[in-house]
Amino acid sequence: MNISPSPTLAVDAKAKALKAAGEDVCGFGAGEPDFDTPEFIKEAAIRALREGRTKYAPAAGIPELREKLAERWVAVNGFSRLEPSQVIVSPGGKYSCYLAILSVCSPGDEVLIPSPYWVSYPEMVKLAGAEPKILATGDQREFRLSPEQLAKAITSRTRLLILNSPSNPTGAVYSREELEKLVEVALRHNIYILSDEIYEQLLYDGARHCSPASFGEEAARSVITVSGFSKTYSMTGWRLGTMAAPPGVAKAVADLQSQTTSNATTFAQYGALEALRQPKEASQAVAAMLEVFDGRRKALHAGLGEVPRVTCLLAQGAFYLFPRISELGMNSTDFASALLEKEKVAVVPGVAFGAEGYVRLSYAVSDEVMEKGVERMNRFCASLQ
Ligand SMILES: *Cc1c(COP(=O)(O)O)cnc(C)c1O
């Protein structure tokens, strides 16, 4: 099967190998928060283990968690209603995305993916036998798809549009108005939308998150929403993703999951449940993390501003910046590998996200690494003149 390995994990692996060999590496490749999971969530999972919650659970998730998630999507994200049966808990948001794609796409279908995109989408589409169709956006358009561009790309074979706001790798956040226009086009052509909202709580500068599935009855029948605990609560290793889907899709996803992985880890789900049962504590934990991220976001953006011939938007979400390096006269792969070799700084080449001429830097790193890394990058870029 012609599937590429995840390039973001590959950069991380190479940086870790150099580090293990004793090199002083500044790694901006990481795709996960550098904080620990909040203590009260860990405690709840430990309690669940002690209480013997060590057995199979219903394939689609423990009922308490599905109920709480449904409530949250209504209360916080503005869904007009959502039954717990429409909520599926999966082993990771990545798997939630894959099951969503698999459940609606057949061989021959086209799936529209705006670039820069999260690396796994096109490969997941291919695994489903469908065809990824990339719609390029750039920094001039702040990495956002326009409704005109979407309308032009839709054919009779188009089945699904994938949206990801806040975005990995760009950190771009769509406004409500922008999303409304895109949803309107999608509904007019009767295509599904997969809305990957895994970074929904990681926002800065007063940016607001908006869920397309909340735009009324018709939208609720066409939008599959994916979120999860990994990024919000620093729970990447727990492997817990969540989905809210129209009833037919939710049924297909639950069936697929029951025949492949079965339930996400039972005691992990009880830990996650605590985040929803204690919203105050949970939002305090997120706010504390966001404050640190925001400081780093500004510092990294300012630092990159000093690097000759590199330009960068100040993104309003997630924990990435996506500077343009095309003025330096080399492609993103050569840039990333020379930077790692010469200065021991790890970044992910933009080409991995379908965007040549850019690189992705994660600011889920310590201040010290960031300061040192930017200084080295500055030196490296200056040496290219
Ligand atoms: C991290 C991430 C996910 C899911 O991560 P999991 O660890 O599988 O929960 C989904 N979409 C995007 C865009 C991501 O960056």
Side-chain angles (χ1 to χ4, degrees), residues 303-379:
L304 289 172
E306 302 287 309
V307 180
R309 290 177 296 162
V310 167
T311 50
C312 186
L313 292 173
L314 181 59
Q316 294 185 314
F319 41 73
Y320 311 103
L321 290 179
F322 203 63
R324 172 194 280 279
I325 53 107
S326 58
E327 298 302 309
L328 292 167
M330 62 204 303
N331 69 37
S332 61
T333 309
D334 293 345
F335 178 89
S337 84
L339 183 61
L340 186 55
E341 213 147 276
K342 290 214 176 102
E343 293 285 355
K344 308 290 178 288
V345 173
V347 301
V348 188
V351 71
F353 310 98
E356 189 46 271
Y358 300 88
V359 292
R360 188 192 76 176
L361 280 79
S362 157
Y363 47 88
V365 297
S366 70
D367 292 345
E368 188 203 341
V369 165
M370 216 162 63
E371 208 169 298
K372 199 155 59 174
V374 171
E375 190 187 307
R376 291 180 186 183
M377 203 167 146
N378 216 329
R379 186 165 58 203

Side-chain angles (χ1 to χ4, degrees), residues 66-88 176 179 183 193-197 200 209-227 242-247 250:
R66 295 172 80 192
E67 243 162 67
K68 278 279 174 204
L69 285 165
E71 277 172 28
R72 190 191 143 85
W73 260 307
V74 170
V76 177
N77 299 61
F79 285 40
S80 56
R81 63 163 193 272
L82 187 69
E83 297 298 324
S85 61
Q86 293 173 260
V87 173
I88 313 288
R176 180 181 193 89
L179 285 171
V183 169
I193 294 176
L194 167 57
S195 180
D196 181 349
E197 304 175 17
E200 62 180 305
H209 175 71
C210 182
S211 291
S214 71
F215 296 166
E217 292 285 316
E218 207 187 338
R221 281 195 294 274
S222 301
V223 179
I224 306 163
T225 307
V226 165
S227 191
T242 59
M243 180 194 303

Side-chain angles (χ1 to χ4, degrees), residues 267-283:
F267 50 86
Q269 292 188 61
Y270 281 97
L273 178 61
E274 202 64 12
L276 300 172
R277 280 192 172 148
Q278 303 208 41
K280 216 163 130 195
E281 221 161 315
S283 59

Side-chain angles (χ1 to χ4, degrees), residues 92-94 118 121 164 168 196 198-199 230-231 236 239-240:
K94 188 177 263 187
W118 185 43
Y121 300 141
N164 172 217
N168 174 7
D196 181 349
I198 195 100
Y199 295 97
S230 301
K231 309 291 162 60
T236 46
R239 311 312 303 132
L240 286 175

